[in-house]
Amino acid sequence: MFANNQNPNNDLELPQPPSDSVSSLKWAPTTNLLAASSWDKSVRVWQVALTGQCELKFGHELASPIVAAAWNGESSALFTTHGDGKVNMVDLATKNVQQVGAHQSGLQALAYIPELKLLATGGWDKQLHYWDLRQPKPALSVAHKAPIFSLDCRHPLLVTSDADSTVAVFNLNTPQQVFKQKASPLKLPTRRIGAMVDKSGFVICAAEGRCAVQFIDDAQQSRNFSYRCHRVDTTTYAVNDISFHPLGTFVTCGSDGVYNFWDYNSKSRLKPSQRMPGPLSAIGFNGDGTMAAYAQGYDWHQGVQGASSAVAVKVFVHKVDAKEVTPRPPGRK
């Protein structure tokens, strides 16, 4: 069962959350602005201070539910992806919404690449598109064999994961070519993929309550491993999101209402949170790793039958303690 306490971790609750579940949480690259996209068609932006002050700075409703969002390099605009295949750019100063791209079918994966000034989007039409915002058509496209479910980028590393549980690794010095393909060791399709801070590999997580740590270099393959997480007794919960800390550790959140901090080098969980009243759909560290935002709300892991209006949609910010994210010495678990 979920916790009865509405805020068991004593984290900062942000005002005026969306009316439906949060699909993504993204911190601006240059400020402590936090953006939340939602299935209620809205995007919201809060200004959050480490001292606990917070204020809703921006709110705007688009024409269709938002599947994911990403900031531009100047923290002045947000890119949004939608189930109808559209890619929009929302200007925070003017609230102007401009369509900057489109896929033939829905899409949910995107990342802005400031080093190249390109927006990467992955769609259910099996296409990875790179968009130069000055042009109406993709600057580059790379076909995949299955719909793309997730992607992440740390230049020059970009990774995608598709419905066939295949991970494609790209070196953005040659963005039109797949550098390497790897089959996921997990049984179910990937929900999220996260590129490691040192760009040596990635972590993938799935609905089966497991994560897989994978390295790219052939000489590092002996370090690959998978592990169970987000399980309560014998019940398995989906792992919904992942975010890397600047120190190289990472956090996951799941349908069990828990967020966990992990150190893959020592193969250990650094700290679990207290269990929230409902599932956690999204999570993310801010730029310097001093705060982690997470969203509570139904994540559809049990389909329509599991939908419940009793699960309140809320967004929280956790003040990160060094012990939660500092890597452990080699050999210590």
Side-chain angles (χ1 to χ4, degrees):
M1 298 296 292
F2 289 103
N4 291 320
N5 185 344
Q6 297 300 303
N7 187 6
N9 298 288
N10 296 316
D11 290 329
L12 174 67
E13 183 176 348
L14 301 189
Q16 299 174 257
S19 61
D20 203 346
S21 299
V22 171
S23 55
S24 70
L25 286 172
K26 298 296 179 183
W27 292 91
T30 58
T31 66
N32 282 330
L33 291 172
L34 173 67
S37 61
S38 172
W39 294 102
D40 69 359
K41 306 179 185 179
S42 76
V43 61
R44 285 168 163 77
V45 176
W46 294 269
Q47 178 78 54
V48 185
L50 190 59
T51 53
Q53 289 87 0
C54 60
E55 180 184 359
L56 183 67
K57 288 288 189 179
F58 180 87
H60 192 63
E61 183 173 309
L62 280 73
S64 61
I66 304 171
V67 184
W71 288 89
N72 69 347
E74 296 77 31
S75 304
S76 60
L78 285 162
F79 302 105
T80 60
T81 59
H82 302 259
D84 58 7
K86 291 181 181 178
V87 185
N88 289 322
M89 182 173 66
V90 184
D91 186 289
L92 268 62
T94 64
K95 292 191 176 182
N96 178 60
V97 179
Q98 176 188 356
Q99 184 175 337
V100 295
H103 284 248
Q104 293 182 359
S105 56
L107 69 158
Q108 64 190 57
L110 81 165
Y112 184 69
I113 311 168
E115 294 85 355
L116 302 178
K117 295 185 178 180
L118 294 175
L119 177 67
T121 58
W124 301 334
D125 58 0
K126 308 177 185 179
Q127 295 291 323
L128 171 66
H129 290 323
Y130 298 94
W131 302 92
D132 181 335
L133 303 179
R134 299 166 298 181
Q135 303 174 8
K137 295 183 179 181
L140 291 169
S141 297
V142 182
H144 285 51
K145 293 182 179 180
I148 300 171
F149 282 177
S150 184
L151 69 82
D152 194 23
C153 178
R154 290 184 186 272
H155 187 270
L157 172 65
L158 185 142
V159 286
T160 67
S161 184
D162 65 28
D164 285 344
S165 298
T166 299
V167 174
V169 179
F170 293 84
N171 180 338
L172 290 176
N173 292 316
T174 53
Q176 72 279 12
Q177 298 177 357
V178 176
F179 173 75
K180 181 177 288 189
Q181 285 190 331
K182 292 176 66 71
S184 168
L186 304 181
K187 296 178 181 178
L188 298 180
T190 301
R191 281 211 163 188
R192 289 289 186 270
I193 188 167
M196 293 178 181
V197 171
D198 66 4
K199 308 165 191 174
S200 64
F202 52 88
V203 177
I204 50 179
C205 48
E208 65 202 64
R210 297 174 72 215
C211 287
V213 177
Q214 300 284 291
F215 292 86
I216 297 169
D217 195 325
D218 290 342
Q220 299 276 337
Q221 295 309 293
S222 62
R223 299 181 62 193
N224 294 343
F225 69 96
S226 303
Y227 66 95
R228 297 178 181 180
C229 56
H230 296 283
R231 299 191 178 196
V232 179
D233 298 325
T234 59
T235 303
T236 298
Y237 292 89
V239 188
N240 289 327
D241 204 1
I242 180 173
S243 179
F244 273 88
H245 189 270
L247 293 177
T249 53
F250 64 95
V251 65
T252 59
C253 69
S255 299
D256 55 350
V258 173
Y259 55 92
N260 290 307
F261 298 95
W262 306 95
D263 177 15
Y264 65 84
N265 280 315
S266 64
K267 298 183 179 180
S268 59
R269 181 170 64 175
L270 298 172
K271 185 182 177 182
S273 74
Q274 297 296 313
R275 198 176 187 194
M276 295 293 293
L280 303 184
S281 60
I283 197 162
F285 286 112
N286 68 336
D288 63 8
T290 55
M291 294 184 282
Y294 60 96
Q296 173 187 274
Y298 186 57
D299 58 359
W300 298 96
H301 70 287
Q302 294 179 335
V304 175
Q305 295 79 7
S308 172
S309 59
V311 179
V313 176
K314 296 183 178 182
V315 179
F316 295 89
V317 173
H318 174 74
K319 186 177 180 179
V320 175
D321 187 282
K323 294 180 181 179
E324 298 171 333
V325 294
T326 302
R328 291 179 176 170
R332 180 188 168 191
K333 294 186 178 182

